[in-house]
Amino acid sequence: KSNPKLSDGTLLSDLINLETREVKMRALSDPELFELEMERIFAKTWVFLGHETEIPNKGDFVVRDMGSDSVLMARGSDGEVYVSLNVCPHRGMKISTHDVGNTMTHVCIYHGWAFKPNGDFIGAPVEKECMHGKMMTKQELGLKKARVAIYGGLVFATWNIEGPSFEDFLGDAKWYFDTLWCRTEKGMEVLGPPQRFTIRANWKTACEQSASDGFHVLTLHRWLSEVGPYRKPGSEGGGGDLTPEMYGTEVYTAHAHTMRCIELDRKIRRLTGKDPSELSIKEKLEALPPPGITPEMLPEVLRRFSDDQLRVMAWRPPQVGNFFPNGLFEFVYIPSPDGVIGVMALHAYVPKGPDKLEFVNWILAEKDTPPELKAKMLRLGVQLLGTSGMVEQDDSDTWPHQTLAAKGAVSKHITMKYQSMYENNRLEGWPGPGDVGDGFTKDDTQWRWWEYWYELMTAEN
Ligand code: FES
Ligand code: FE
């Protein structure tokens, strides 16, 4: 283990107290710490970059960030997805200055070196004259390539070429995440390009919250129960209660992937007028199918999963959670006049500096979901989540304040506390893997996020 020292002598271990479960505010703003995070986390672990349906055709590309590095995510002539450093190996100019496009030849605007979508070097203009002298071989002059993994259409990449596999990184979370991302044979698609906006906040403010902080919903998002979709059924406003949404099962697995599996019984009871404990798994899923799944699509879903997985999907499905380090997903069941509509969204909180992040929001549906339902899911997704949505405008109000407090001469020394713990009080009969807490939402998942952050930040190699 290493214990990096900041230039004023502060050790990394001074910023986090593993016994009392506290983190110094300063950890949310320090520029030196930010540099270390880019090296020790974002340049080492698997990072979520986007969805492969954003680049369906050969030559399609988008420009994304892996921590502090710009990368090209492109579909090559062989149909595979490649991720390469968006930096010219000649003199370091940015290769693609566009965010999105299609080309089989990425030409550097500086001296004209050209590259394939897979990063291979093609050549330079007036090559005989330009590539003269003691040149490296064409093979050596390609863009730096990352290792890529595609999971349920999601594109992940890492610079850790010899490091753990993506399956290893996902670990026990896969048992649950399959029920979200791998529900149908054809898979999912993005409903248009992602929304993006910049927030003056440290990336960790958003990401530790993404690690399944449930408690804030009761206060920060209380409008949901006052005037929003969780108001009392049939009322114009008020009377709603978000407390039942606080109950369920919270799961965290190795590598700090976490999720809140929120109980659906109340919604099923309201929709069917029946006691959910008297319904079969199939009947429950028919009454309240997962987001984007129609009755016609349900038999396929039933075929794809084990009885245990289906039980969780019908009872307490994962509704919010994170991919470490900076991805968040929401698979929420929203009451609406048309019944319950599911919304599926995915966010990346891209670090842009110690006090700046880019919030990127994708809204998704199954490819097989009928167009009318896709349109409803998109509308509701846009209304609630992301740039224009009402829910995350609440969340993104808090992050800049935390980041500012992290710079105060006095406030940077106070601590964030993670002391309300389940300590793995697994409900008897819970069929899924991982560390599991049952009951009212607690701090375990966010604390595990910090523990893993610390583990990576102090790793020797
Ligand atoms: Fe790209 Fe020179 S920097 S061709
Ligand atoms: Fe929130």
Side-chain angles (χ1 to χ4, degrees):
K1 285 254 156 192
S2 70
N3 192 1
K5 194 190 265 186
L6 304 179
S7 48
D8 70 349
T10 304
L11 291 167
L12 190 69
S13 58
D14 297 334
L15 297 176
I16 183 164
N17 188 326
L18 299 174
E19 299 300 313
T20 59
R21 302 193 183 105
E22 292 174 89
V23 181
K24 284 232 170 97
M25 291 299 290
R26 181 181 169 183
L28 294 178
S29 76
D30 190 277
E32 287 176 69
L33 203 60
F34 181 82
E35 292 300 317
L36 275 175
E37 288 169 342
M38 295 305 105
E39 286 161 16
R40 295 187 172 213
I41 298 176
F42 285 88
K44 289 277 165 62
T45 189
W46 288 93
V47 180
F48 165 67
L49 295 177
H51 198 269
E52 66 164 341
T53 57
E54 294 180 77
I55 48 169
N57 304 309
K58 291 175 182 175
D60 284 351
F61 71 89
V62 289
V63 168
R64 293 284 147 83
D65 295 287
M66 276 170 79
S68 46
D69 292 300
S70 172
V71 293
L72 265 176
M73 172 177 128
R75 198 172 288 275
S77 56
D78 57 358
E80 299 294 315
V81 173
Y82 293 90
V83 173
S84 321
L85 194 63
N86 187 20
V87 173
C88 183
H90 181 219
R91 301 277 163 77
M93 174 60 196
K94 194 175 184 182
I95 295 289
S96 179
T97 51
H98 297 266
D99 283 343
V100 52
N102 177 288
T103 181
M104 294 311 277
T105 316
H106 291 272
V107 181
C108 177
I109 60 167
Y110 197 173
H111 310 90
W113 283 24
F115 305 87
K116 293 181 188 170
N118 70 1
D120 285 352
F121 182 61
I122 300 172
V126 281
E127 197 163 310
K128 240 170 97 197
E129 284 77 8
C130 283
M131 307 286 288
H132 185 74
K134 267 199 181 162
M135 294 293 298
M136 293 165 104
T137 66
K138 284 200 169 182
Q139 247 135 19
E140 291 168 308
L141 292 176
L143 303 181
K144 185 175 169 65
K145 293 183 194 186
R147 183 173 164 203
V148 177
I150 298 192
Y151 169 69
L154 308 172
V155 181
F156 293 81
T158 180
W159 299 115
N160 197 351
I161 307 297
E162 304 295 333
S165 67
F166 180 75
E167 288 64 37
D168 213 68
F169 172 69
L170 211 52
D172 282 340
K174 181 174 159 43
W175 191 92
Y176 302 93
F177 287 178
D178 281 359
T179 69
L180 304 174
W181 305 106
C182 309
R183 285 174 182 162
T184 60
E185 185 64 34
K186 281 200 202 145
M188 284 192 199
E189 64 183 10
V190 289
L191 300 179
Q195 303 175 313
R196 303 189 308 176
F197 65 125
T198 298
I199 300 175
R200 295 221 155 264
N202 181 272
W203 69 279
K204 297 190 294 305
T205 58
C207 291
E208 69 84 37
Q209 188 200 68
S210 301
S212 302
D213 185 300
F215 198 16
H216 77 279
V217 177
L218 268 187
T219 40
L220 190 63
H221 302 309
R222 68 181 178 279
W223 68 272
L224 284 166
S225 63
E226 291 171 350
V227 292
Y230 287 86
R231 66 185 180 272
K232 197 171 175 202
S235 85
E236 282 303 308
D241 184 7
L242 281 167
T243 318
E245 302 292 312
M246 299 297 105
Y247 285 90
T249 299
E250 291 181 351
V251 181
Y252 52 96
T253 63
H255 313 127
H257 308 307
T258 77
M259 67 208 87
R260 291 189 65 216
C261 303
I262 304 170
E263 179 112 1
L264 293 179
D265 280 0
R266 188 170 74 139
K267 291 189 175 103
I268 292 174
R269 192 175 290 118
R270 193 190 307 151
L271 287 165
T272 62
K274 291 181 185 153
D275 179 352
S277 67
E278 280 158 18
L279 299 174
S280 69
I281 288 172
K282 184 163 168 272
E283 285 167 334
K284 285 205 243 185
L285 285 168
E286 281 166 353
L288 184 50
I293 301 295
T294 61
E296 294 70 35
M297 294 160 71
L298 196 56
E300 186 189 342
V301 176
L302 293 170
R303 272 198 307 276
R304 287 173 71 83
F305 297 107
S306 69
D307 288 350
D308 282 345
Q309 284 171 308
L310 290 170
R311 193 169 145 232
V312 167
M313 290 167 86
W315 170 35
R316 290 180 175 182
Q319 293 195 45
V320 285
N322 75 304
F323 292 112
F324 189 88
N326 68 331
L328 169 138
F329 60 80
E330 301 190 60
F331 282 65
V332 286
Y333 299 68
I334 305 283
S336 86
D338 301 348
V340 177
I341 296 184
V343 176
M344 302 191 284
L346 191 58
H347 308 331
Y349 300 114
V350 181
K352 290 283 186 182
D355 49 11
K356 197 162 148 189
L357 68 84
E358 186 176 52
F359 187 153
V360 189
N361 174 39
W362 294 261
I363 296 172
L364 302 116
E366 300 294 338
K367 284 180 186 158
D368 280 339
T369 299
E372 323 79 66
L373 183 52
K374 275 185 194 166
K376 279 185 192 171
M377 292 171 72
L378 178 60
R379 191 170 58 238
L380 204 56
V382 169
Q383 281 170 353
L384 289 176
L385 310 171
T387 319
S388 49
M390 294 179 285
V391 176
E392 279 139 356
Q393 294 303 321
D394 302 336
D395 295 313
S396 53
D397 237 9
T398 62
W399 305 330
H401 289 290
Q402 291 171 285
T403 305
L404 274 177
K407 296 184 202 196
V410 175
S411 53
K412 72 179 176 189
H413 297 296
I414 71 156
T415 60
M416 299 184 283
K417 293 153 194 77
Y418 299 84
Q419 293 165 345
S420 163
M421 303 291 276
Y422 291 119
E423 304 283 15
N424 197 10
N425 69 339
R426 171 184 282 266
L427 181 69
E428 207 177 318
W430 178 258
D435 286 314
V436 175
D438 176 72
F440 194 92
T441 181
K442 301 248 183 303
D443 292 341
D444 301 64
T445 49
Q446 300 108 77
W447 179 247
R448 297 304 160 187
W449 190 93
W450 278 111
E451 281 188 328
Y452 190 54
W453 172 86
Y454 185 67
E455 187 181 322
L456 292 185
M457 292 290 280
T458 54
E460 200 54 78
N461 181 356

